[in-house]
Amino acid sequence: MRDSFADKVFGNVINILLIFFAASCILPMVHLLALSFSDQSAIISGAVSLWPVGFTDQAYDKLIVGTRIVSALKNSIVITLVGVSLNLIFTIFCAYPLSRSYMYGGRFFTLAIVFTMLFSGGLIPGYLLVKSLGLIDTYGAIWIPGLVSVYNMLVMRTFFTNIPEELVESARMDGGGEWTILFRIFLPLSIPVIVALGLFYGVGHWNSFFNMLIFINSTDKYNLAVMVQQMIQSQSILQEIGNLSPDDFNAITPESIKAAGIIVMIIPMLIVYPFLQKYFIKGMLIGAIKG
């Protein structure tokens, strides 16, 4: 069936809006990339737009050698990998029993969990709880309070609920218990939604800086997001970088250092996302549709 004139106009308007939206996301990153590879005179004169002027990699060289960015990058990787693993494990173990119709009190527990999403305790009670558990200045303060996202758990629960009951009955007839059903039937069928939720959790951990500033006191435990945030707010970033010669002060600018830090922070997510995109779209659509 051919599209009507109204459908074509609607499609073209949507495409134009999406192009503007994509440009508003991509162009700032391209500008930062150009700044990070441009020399000082070009940046000060405002000649840099979307392409490096006076190409130089001094900003990245001084950033890696003169700051703790490598250590912060390692901390971010550890926080993200361990955090995502714990999030997925607890989300799956929370969603699976709530997806079973024969679970006693399943509706009550689901509503109780949803209640926590609508009405949270707040920052001060949360801090006092973490402190009473002895988690201050440990990564446990980052991982444990947010082990399960209610929204992500509901997506996982909906996906589990939509798995045909005939598969479960077949497994039971063959003598399979709950562990067998979960690990040999549900999880293999749930790869798209698991990857999608893992991406959600991963982005959250990678970009997390507010909880780090509240719960972590040791600066050597800071992640990359905190370091970049402090670099952006710093008024004397060049003086804070060690072993800079007079020539270095003439070759780089605070803007190029800050741009290089932001680029280093977003590159891992840009590398990972294309490999997960196909699972991301499929997982979210399947998990969000209630059958």
Side-chain angles (χ1 to χ4, degrees):
M1 184 176 66
R2 298 180 61 182
D3 293 337
S4 64
F5 177 76
D7 291 337
K8 292 180 179 178
V9 171
F10 179 78
N12 290 331
V13 170
I14 294 298
N15 289 334
I16 293 173
L17 291 176
L18 289 176
I19 290 173
F20 276 108
F21 178 73
S24 67
C25 296
I26 295 174
L27 292 182
M29 289 192 292
V30 175
H31 177 64
L32 286 174
L33 186 64
L35 278 178
S36 67
F37 283 112
S38 298
D39 64 16
Q40 185 191 54
S41 59
I43 294 174
I44 294 176
S45 63
V48 182
S49 56
L50 301 179
W51 191 258
V53 179
F55 185 88
T56 177
D57 61 353
Q58 285 297 305
Y60 290 94
D61 182 50
K62 302 307 174 187
L63 183 69
I64 293 173
V65 175
T67 68
R68 295 183 296 100
I69 194 168
V70 175
S71 173
L73 181 60
K74 292 178 182 177
N75 293 340
S76 289
I77 293 173
V78 171
I79 292 170
T80 302
L81 291 180
V82 177
V84 171
S85 301
L86 292 174
N87 290 141
L88 290 178
I89 291 172
F90 279 85
T91 299
I92 290 170
F93 283 143
C94 183
Y96 176 72
L98 293 178
S99 69
R100 301 296 85 204
S101 59
Y102 50 80
M103 176 186 173
Y104 181 77
R107 181 176 176 79
F108 168 78
F109 288 115
T110 301
L111 293 176
I113 293 173
V114 171
F115 181 84
T116 65
M117 181 174 67
L118 301 177
F119 303 97
S120 64
L123 178 61
I124 295 177
Y127 180 84
L128 294 176
L129 174 62
V130 171
K131 184 179 180 181
S132 64
L133 294 174
L135 298 176
I136 295 296
D137 204 27
T138 69
Y139 289 150
I142 307 299
W143 294 325
I144 294 178
L147 274 179
V148 177
S149 162
V150 176
Y151 174 80
N152 291 344
M153 189 279 294
L154 292 177
V155 171
M156 181 71 77
R157 172 184 173 276
T158 303
F159 186 88
F160 285 163
T161 304
N162 291 335
I163 292 178
E165 194 64 26
E166 289 78 8
L167 292 175
V168 179
E169 295 299 328
S170 299
R172 293 193 186 283
M173 293 176 65
D174 292 336
E178 298 295 342
W179 291 104
T180 302
I181 294 172
L182 175 61
F183 284 100
R184 302 188 64 175
I185 296 179
F186 276 50
L187 294 188
L189 294 174
S190 308
I191 296 300
V193 72
I194 290 174
V195 173
L197 298 187
L199 183 62
F200 278 162
Y201 283 125
V203 172
H205 283 296
W206 188 263
N207 293 328
S208 174
F209 75 92
F210 186 67
N211 287 342
M212 292 289 294
L213 291 175
I214 294 176
F215 298 123
I216 303 299
N217 300 324
S218 304
T219 56
D220 59 337
K221 294 181 180 178
Y222 282 169
N223 63 355
L224 194 57
V226 173
M227 183 177 173
V228 172
Q229 184 259 349
Q230 292 180 340
M231 285 173 52
I232 293 174
Q233 292 184 337
S234 175
Q235 301 297 323
S236 56
I237 182 63
L238 294 184
Q239 286 72 22
E240 297 172 8
I241 298 177
N243 300 323
L244 283 184
S245 65
D247 292 337
D248 294 329
F249 279 95
N250 295 326
I252 58 178
T253 65
E255 288 74 17
S256 62
I257 291 291
K258 295 175 182 178
I262 296 173
I263 293 298
V264 170
M265 181 177 170
I266 65 177
I267 279 180
M269 287 293 110
L270 293 178
I271 294 175
V272 171
Y273 184 76
F275 296 99
L276 304 181
Q277 185 185 18
K278 58 179 180 181
Y279 298 108
F280 176 76
I281 297 173
K282 185 178 179 182
M284 291 311 300
L285 288 178
I286 296 175
I289 297 175
K290 182 176 178 57

